[in-house]
């Protein structure tokens, strides 16, 4: 039986390659995209600016942004064969599986045949992802074939409009912008590393993004926002939440939305989304979910010095905006496809196939015994 190798478990703390895109570290300027702090970006930029930054290395000026926004609007329509494929996926499917199929299907219909197409392909992906999610969701749940012509000029507004069949409020549009900015990029996390490994074989971009979606799906990664929601919605008061969390800690259960593989004291994205969650709670006169979330945060810090990661207050924020829980992680995909694509471009620009070694801990060399001597 293989023994655990604590030092090397999870490749924690090891440098696995060079990147100019993002820093993830403790302290001030911990999370940056191309040198810009995430607080600054979340305060001052819309998601389209971040996509432009990640794909080009620089923020757009006003004209470039207007052109880019218009381009992404033009790229929104879903090919009929993709719609047909989405219609075949049952209502009970997990939307992350839907997206994995949707991106893969798009790769069949609009295959990347040269790396020169990579930025166009990435633009097409981020323009179509909100439509893919909402087309499947609305068709399978409401029997409606949504029209991609939402009239919204931002990806944030487009998603909310398609989902709810009405123009979102200014507050909801803004929170969705912030959320997409916060989730866009995070260095060599599991899904991005998956995308880079796939890119390093010189595979096509749809394969890289499909692989990354599979990786993000797990509850230890992107799936944590959904898992956090499923947890907090069980409790009807902060006191009940405290009691339940104490019990979970005693039983050594993981509390989703807490802890981080790199950050040790706080996740810089948490304070930002928490503030917006509080605003949304006030808007809907919530007296349960937000206090429950705050109490979880207090108890986890008091008992374990564990802090909320980006996912925890995203759960309540999305819930207050009327977003169904199972669409939480797909929103992460809508955003992170920018970071994944940027890493695919970077990997391709200076590529060597990613192929580490394993420390062998299996049986000593031996010969195949004759069948009659095998136990
Ligand atoms: N709830 C309870 N305990 C936690 C915890 C959590 N969310 N996160 C970490 N811990 C504990 C572990 O049980 C472990 O305790 P031990 O030393 O007594 O065994 C210790 O803290 C170290 O945690 P570990 O899982 O080894 O850290 P990691 O770096 O391997 O994992 C995460 C990082 C993010 C995977 C982990 O914190 C986690 O599973 N969090 C919940 C899922 C989540 O929110 N994921 C989204 C990440 S952005």
């Amino acid at each position: 039986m293989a023994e655990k190798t604590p030092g090397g478990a999870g490749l924690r703390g090891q440098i696995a390659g060079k990147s100019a895109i993002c820093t993830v570290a403790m302290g001030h300027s911990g999370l940056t995209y191309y040198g810009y702090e995430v607080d600054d970006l979340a305060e001052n930029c819309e998601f389209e600016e971040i996509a432009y930054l990640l794909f080009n290395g620089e923020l757009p000026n006003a004209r470039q942004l207007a052109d880019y926004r218009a381009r992404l609007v033009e790229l929104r329509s879903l090919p009929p064969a993709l719609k047909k494929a989405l219609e075949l996926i049952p209502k009970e499917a997990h939307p992350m599986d839907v997206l994995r199929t949707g991106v893969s299907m798009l790769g069949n219909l609009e295959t990347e045949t040269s790396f020169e197409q990579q930025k166009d392909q990435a633009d097409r992906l981020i323009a179509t992802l909100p439509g893919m999610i909402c087309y499947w969701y609305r068709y399978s749940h409401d029997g409606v074939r949504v029209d991609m012509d939402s009239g919204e000029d931002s990806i944030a507004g487009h998603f909310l409009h398609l989902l709810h069949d009405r123009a979102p409020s200014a507050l909801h549009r803004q929170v969705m912008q912030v959320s997409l900015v916060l989730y866009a990029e995070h260095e060599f996390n599991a899904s991005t590393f998956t995308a880079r490994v796939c890119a390093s074989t010189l595979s096509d971009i749809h394969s890289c993004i499909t692989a990354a979606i599979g990786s993000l799906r797990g509850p230890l990664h992107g799936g944590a926002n959904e898992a956090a929601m499923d947890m907090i919605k069980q409790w009807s008061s902060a006191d009940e939440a405290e009691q339940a969390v104490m019990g979970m800690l005693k039983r050594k259960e993981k509390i989703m939305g807490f802890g981080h593989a790199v950050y040790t004291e706080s996740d810089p994205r948490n304070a930002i989304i928490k503030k917006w969650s509080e605003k949304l709670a006030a808007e809907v006169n919530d007296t349960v979910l937000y206090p429950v979330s705050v109490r979880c945060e207090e108890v986890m810090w008091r008992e374990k010095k564990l802090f909320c990661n980006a996912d925890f207050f995203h759960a309540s924020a999305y819930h207050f905006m009327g977003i169904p829980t199972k669409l939480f992680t797909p929103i992460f995909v809508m955003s992170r496809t920018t970071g994944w694509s940027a890493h695919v471009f970077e990997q391709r620009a200076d590529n060597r196939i990613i192929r580490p070694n394993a420390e062998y801990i299996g049986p000593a060399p031996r010969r195949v015994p004759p069948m009659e001597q095998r136990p």
Side-chain angles (χ1 to χ4, degrees):
M1 197 48 205
E3 273 180 41
K4 270 193 162 182
T5 49
L11 298 177
R12 201 69 78 254
Q14 304 198 24
I15 302 292
K18 289 184 182 176
S19 178
I21 302 171
C22 174
T23 60
V24 172
M26 271 318 300
H28 194 60
S29 300
L31 174 56
T32 62
Y33 306 167
Y34 277 110
Y36 296 107
E37 276 182 39
V38 77
D39 311 48
D40 198 6
L41 294 170
E43 179 87 28
N44 296 302
C45 297
E46 58 187 69
F47 177 60
E48 281 73 3
E49 290 171 82
I50 304 304
Y52 189 100
L53 171 69
L54 291 171
F55 293 171
N56 299 287
E58 294 297 340
L59 285 168
N61 61 30
R63 186 187 47 76
Q64 287 165 330
L65 178 60
D67 289 351
Y68 189 49
R69 239 195 249 119
R71 171 177 163 69
L72 292 176
V73 169
E74 262 174 39
L75 288 172
R76 276 179 188 167
S77 69
L78 303 183
L82 174 55
K83 288 185 183 170
K84 234 183 197 171
L86 293 171
E87 287 180 16
L88 290 173
I89 304 176
K91 181 181 177 181
E92 297 71 32
H94 193 285
M96 286 296 280
D97 299 344
V98 176
L99 280 187
R100 198 188 55 215
T101 299
V103 170
S104 186
M105 183 68 183
L106 194 65
N108 283 297
L109 302 171
E110 301 175 7
T111 311
E112 184 189 36
T113 51
S114 149
F115 289 171
E116 280 169 28
Q117 301 164 358
Q118 63 184 11
K119 267 192 210 168
D120 292 341
Q121 294 282 2
D123 285 344
R124 176 80 168 129
L125 277 166
I126 62 167
T128 50
L129 280 166
M132 271 187 224
I133 301 169
C134 293
Y135 189 88
W136 168 78
Y137 185 82
R138 297 286 315 282
Y139 182 81
S140 61
H141 289 68
D142 308 332
V144 173
R145 291 186 168 96
V146 283
D147 185 354
M148 293 301 126
D149 210 359
S150 65
E152 300 282 340
D153 68 353
S154 69
I155 285 174
H158 181 53
F159 171 74
L160 290 171
H161 198 138
L162 292 185
L163 180 64
H164 294 135
D165 200 20
R166 60 173 186 272
S169 68
L171 175 63
H172 290 194
R173 219 181 255 126
Q174 191 174 3
V175 177
M176 189 50 65
Q177 288 282 13
V178 169
S179 169
L180 295 176
V181 171
L182 294 181
Y183 271 142
E185 166 54 10
H186 216 223
E187 201 223 23
F188 278 21
N189 58 84
S191 56
T192 301
F193 198 62
T194 303
R196 286 192 80 125
V197 170
C198 189
S200 82
T201 70
L202 302 184
S203 191
D204 66 293
I205 195 162
H206 296 92
S207 294
C208 300
I209 303 299
T210 303
I213 291 171
S215 179
L216 186 73
R217 185 192 196 291
L220 294 188
H221 193 6
N225 53 16
E226 250 181 85
M229 186 66 220
D230 288 339
M231 183 183 70
I232 57 179
K233 75 175 183 209
Q234 306 172 77
W235 303 320
S236 51
S237 72
D239 288 346
E240 190 188 339
E242 173 156 357
Q243 234 181 5
V245 168
M246 292 296 285
M248 289 172 82
L249 289 176
K250 210 165 172 195
R251 295 190 297 278
K252 292 205 166 304
E253 288 173 24
K254 278 246 162 113
I255 319 283
M256 293 306 171
F258 284 86
H260 199 268
V262 179
Y263 302 124
T264 52
E265 286 159 25
S266 65
D267 180 331
R269 301 166 296 182
N270 177 52
I272 303 170
I273 196 63
K274 182 181 173 187
K275 186 187 80 182
W276 288 106
S277 173
E278 188 179 11
K279 275 200 178 127
L280 290 164
E283 187 198 45
V284 298
N285 296 319
D286 166 76
T287 54
V288 178
L289 210 54
Y290 186 76
V292 157
S293 304
V294 171
R295 184 70 70 85
C296 291
E297 184 180 34
E298 286 165 5
V299 173
M300 288 296 279
W301 184 254
R302 185 187 73 210
E303 297 295 322
K304 285 270 176 190
K305 292 285 169 280
L306 278 166
F307 52 89
C308 299
N309 56 47
D311 291 319
F312 192 68
F313 278 95
H314 258 109
S316 49
Y318 286 165
H319 183 80
F320 295 142
M321 289 195 286
I323 298 172
T325 305
K326 64 182 184 178
L327 297 188
F328 289 6
T329 319
I331 300 173
F332 198 153
V333 174
M334 273 166 47
S335 165
R336 186 58 63 83
T337 296
T338 55
W340 290 333
S341 302
H343 280 272
V344 169
F345 304 166
E346 192 178 54
Q347 182 67 36
R348 286 173 171 180
D350 183 18
N351 187 56
R352 192 166 188 201
I353 190 164
I354 297 174
R355 202 312 188 182
N357 294 106
E359 179 192 349
Y360 182 67
I361 53 169
R366 49 189 175 162
R367 298 199 63 84
V368 175
M371 194 58 83
E372 63 278 9
Q373 287 178 17
R374 296 184 201 174

